[in-house]
C-alpha cells in the first residue's frame, strides 16, 4: 500500500518508496512493482503521472485523476511553476549555501538512444542548496582517517534528468547511495555501518496551484524508516517541514 499524502477528485499525491519505478518500462524488464499500477489498484481508478522521480529517489509524486486535469497541470511542471524541495546526504562538508548554475547534457540511454543521430546539447540547469547539518565519523576512507558528511536541502529551478545527483557530483559532494554519480567507498560505509542500501535523496516538499480552485497546495512527504535510522545514527535531527514555520 502506498502512502497517500493528498487526494481529492482531481489529484492524488503519494510518497514514492525508494527503489520503485513510476511506471512499467521495457528498459527495466525485471521489475514487477510500479507506482502507477499499485496506486491504480489501491484507489480503483486510472492515474496520470504529472512528473517523474528516478527509481532510487523517494518522496512527493503527483498524479492527475483524469486526462483533462493532466493536460491542465502539465504546463505548471513544464514551465517550472511548481516549487520542489529535496533533502540529501552527501560526502564532505558543505559550509555555505549557494546556487549552482551548470548546464547539463541530457544523459542518453545506451539502448533507447543508441540510434540518436545528433549528440545532445547542454541545457540550462540551476540548483539552490543549503547545508543543514554536518558530521565527522572515525571511519577511514581512502587516504583520510575520518569521513565527513552533510545533510543538505536542495531546490531545483529546472528539471533535467538526474539534475541533483549530477550537480552535487559536480560540486564534489556526491549524494550517498548514488551508484552512477556517487563515490563507491562512501556508499559502502553507509551499507556496512548503517545498513543503508538506497539513494539518500528525498523529494520532501512541493508547492503547486490546484487545477480547479486555483489555490496553492502544499505537500510534505515524511522520511522513510531507512532515512530516519541513518539520521538518528549520525546524531542529527530530521529536517523540519518548511510548512511548520
Amino acid at each position: 500500500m502506498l502512502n497517500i499524502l493528498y487526494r481529492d477528485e482531481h489529484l492524488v499525491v503519494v510518497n514514492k518508496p525508494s527503489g520503485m519505478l513510476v511506471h512499467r518500462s521495457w528498459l527495466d524488464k525485471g521489475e514487477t512493482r510500479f507506482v502507477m499500477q499499485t496506486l491504480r489498484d489501491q484507489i480503483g481508478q486510472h492515474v496520470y503521472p504529472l512528473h517523474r522521480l528516478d527509481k532510487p529517489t523517494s518522496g512527493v509524486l503527483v498524479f492527475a485523476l483524469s486526462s483533462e486535469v493532466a493536460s491542465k497541470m502539465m504546463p505548471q511542471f513544464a514551465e517550472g511553476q511548481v516549487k520542489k524541495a529535496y533533502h540529501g546526504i552527501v560526502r564532505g562538508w558543505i559550509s555555505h549555501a549557494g546556487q549552482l548554475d551548470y548546464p547539463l547534457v541530457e544523459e542518453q540511454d545506451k539502448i533507447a538512444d543508441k540510434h540518436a543521430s545528433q549528440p545532445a546539447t547542454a541545457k540550462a540547469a540551476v540548483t539552490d542548496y543549503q547545508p543543514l547539518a554536518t558530521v565527522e565519523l572515525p571511519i577511514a576512507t581512502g587516504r583520510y582517517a575520518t569521513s565527513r558528511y552533510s545533510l543538505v536541502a536542495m531546490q531545483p529551478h529546472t528539471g533535467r534528468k538526474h539534475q541533483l545527483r549530477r550537480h552535487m557530483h559536480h560540486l564534489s559532494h556526491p549524494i550517498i547511495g548514488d551508484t552512477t554519480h556517487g563515490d563507491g567507498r562512501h556508499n559502502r560505509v553507509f551499507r556496512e555501518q548503517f545498513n543503508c542500501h538506497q539513494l539518500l535523496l528525498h523529494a520532501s516538499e512541493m508547492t503547486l496551484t490546484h487545477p480547479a480552485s486555483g489555490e496553492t497546495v502544499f505537500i510534505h512527504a515524511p522520511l522513510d524508516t531507512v532515512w530516519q535510522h541513518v539520521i538518528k545514527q549520525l546524531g542529527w535531527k530530521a529536517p523540519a517541514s518548511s510548512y511548520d514555520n
Side-chain angles (χ1 to χ4, degrees):
M1 296 287 285
L2 293 165
N3 178 16
I4 295 178
L5 304 172
Y6 175 92
R7 182 183 178 186
D8 60 20
E9 65 269 34
H10 305 284
L11 301 171
V12 59
V13 185
V14 301
N15 192 354
K16 183 183 102 57
S18 174
M20 196 171 186
L21 282 171
V22 175
H23 52 73
R24 197 179 303 274
S25 170
W26 62 273
L27 295 173
D28 209 332
K29 296 179 181 179
E31 284 300 319
T32 58
R33 296 169 59 246
F34 312 94
V35 178
M36 272 187 67
Q37 285 80 4
T38 301
L39 181 58
R40 179 196 62 198
D41 295 343
Q42 186 171 327
I43 67 174
Q45 63 184 111
H46 287 287
V47 296
Y48 303 79
L50 297 178
H51 62 115
R52 67 188 181 194
L53 282 180
D54 296 336
K55 178 181 176 181
T57 304
S58 57
V60 177
L61 187 61
V62 186
F63 295 86
L65 292 176
S66 71
S67 58
E68 292 78 16
V69 170
S71 296
K72 191 171 183 178
M73 288 293 296
M74 287 302 288
Q76 277 193 55
F77 287 88
E79 296 167 12
Q81 298 170 12
V82 176
K83 294 182 180 179
K84 303 174 183 178
Y86 290 73
H87 287 97
I89 297 177
V90 304
R91 181 193 72 186
W93 282 1
I94 297 180
S95 55
H96 301 288
Q99 182 180 89
L100 179 61
D101 185 346
Y102 180 70
L104 295 172
V105 174
E106 183 77 11
E107 290 183 327
Q108 295 188 336
D109 183 87
K110 293 180 181 179
I111 300 175
D113 299 313
K114 68 178 181 179
H115 298 302
S117 59
Q118 300 201 358
T121 57
K123 296 181 180 179
V126 180
T127 301
D128 289 337
Y129 58 91
Q130 305 88 31
L132 302 178
T134 58
V135 69
E136 185 168 15
L137 302 179
I139 300 172
T141 48
R143 65 180 186 274
Y144 301 102
T146 61
S147 299
R148 292 179 169 185
Y149 303 100
S150 298
L151 175 64
V152 184
M154 295 164 280
Q155 301 84 34
H157 293 280
T158 48
R160 307 305 174 202
K161 186 177 181 181
H162 297 169
Q163 176 174 318
L164 297 180
R165 295 160 66 178
R166 297 172 70 187
H167 268 182
M168 297 315 293
H169 170 80
H170 179 75
L171 291 170
S172 296
H173 294 290
I175 298 173
I176 299 302
D178 189 342
T179 57
T180 305
H181 306 285
D183 186 317
R185 296 170 300 176
H186 292 273
N187 293 347
R188 190 179 310 114
V189 167
F190 275 69
R191 288 196 303 268
E192 295 176 352
Q193 299 294 322
F194 309 121
N195 194 29
C196 176
H197 299 264
Q198 70 184 51
L199 176 69
L200 291 176
L201 177 62
H202 181 68
S204 305
E205 298 174 353
M206 185 178 291
T207 306
L208 52 82
T209 301
H210 194 277
S213 67
E215 295 180 350
T216 301
V217 177
F218 302 98
I219 302 160
H220 170 73
L223 297 172
D224 64 29
T225 54
V226 172
W227 260 95
Q228 294 174 32
H229 171 71
V230 170
I231 284 179
K232 182 178 180 180
Q233 292 299 307
L234 295 178
W236 294 337
K237 292 182 179 180
S241 167
S242 60
Y243 309 139
D244 295 336
N245 301 330

